């Protein structure tokens, strides 16, 4: 089901967040440049799934309006992939440290 702008209604919140942010920083939501999308994602941090959904919503709105989707920019995708890789490495170190602190002898019962 499509909304008034042609955007899939399941993306309504993400698109509204992006257009509000664009208004606040004096940017045009349609068509948006890849750098605008990157700045939006940086200014609105969230987990990987949320960021992917936001990018998908913005890409869908662009496609529905006949514009190229800004989230398909090679530079933007590489930057997002790099950020994800850094988070995965940081989490792996945290998990390794937590696992190293677990007891290796005795019972787990109190």
């Amino acid at each position: 089901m499509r909304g008034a702008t042609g955007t899939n209604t399941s993306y309504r919140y993400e698109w509204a967040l992006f257009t509000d942010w664009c208004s606040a920083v004096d940017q045009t939501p349609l068509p948006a440049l890849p750098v605008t999308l990157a700045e939006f994602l940086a200014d609105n941090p969230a987990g990987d799934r949320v960021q992917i959904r936001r990018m998908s919503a913005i890409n869908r709105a662009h496609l529905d309006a006949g514009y190229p989707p800004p989230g398909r920019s090679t530079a933007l995708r590489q930057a997002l992939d790099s950020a994800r890789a850094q988070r995965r490495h940081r989490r792996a170190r945290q998990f390794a440290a937590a696992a190293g602190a677990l007891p290796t002898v005795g019972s787990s019962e109190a």
Side-chain angles (χ1 to χ4, degrees):
M1 182 175 200
R2 305 275 177 204
T5 63
T7 303
N8 187 314
T9 55
S10 68
Y11 287 143
R12 186 178 305 149
Y13 173 78
E14 291 82 4
W15 179 246
L17 180 65
F18 180 66
T19 58
D20 287 349
W21 177 86
C22 285
S23 294
V25 298
D26 200 28
Q27 294 291 325
T28 304
L30 276 174
L33 297 172
V35 68
T36 303
L37 176 54
E39 290 171 357
F40 165 73
L41 294 174
D43 285 352
N44 295 277
D48 293 345
R49 289 183 180 157
V50 172
Q51 295 294 52
I52 290 169
R53 182 169 175 79
R54 289 173 178 171
M55 189 165 50
S56 295
I58 294 162
N59 283 344
R60 178 81 264 154
H62 280 72
L63 288 168
D64 289 348
Y67 295 111
R72 292 196 183 154
S73 159
T74 301
L76 179 60
R77 294 185 71 76
Q78 288 176 341
L80 289 175
D81 288 343
S82 174
R84 285 186 202 116
Q86 289 174 4
R87 282 193 298 273
R88 280 193 301 269
H89 290 302
R90 187 173 54 249
R91 287 181 192 142
R93 286 191 303 272
Q94 291 170 340
F95 292 147
L102 294 173
T104 57
V105 295
S107 173
S108 61
E109 295 182 16

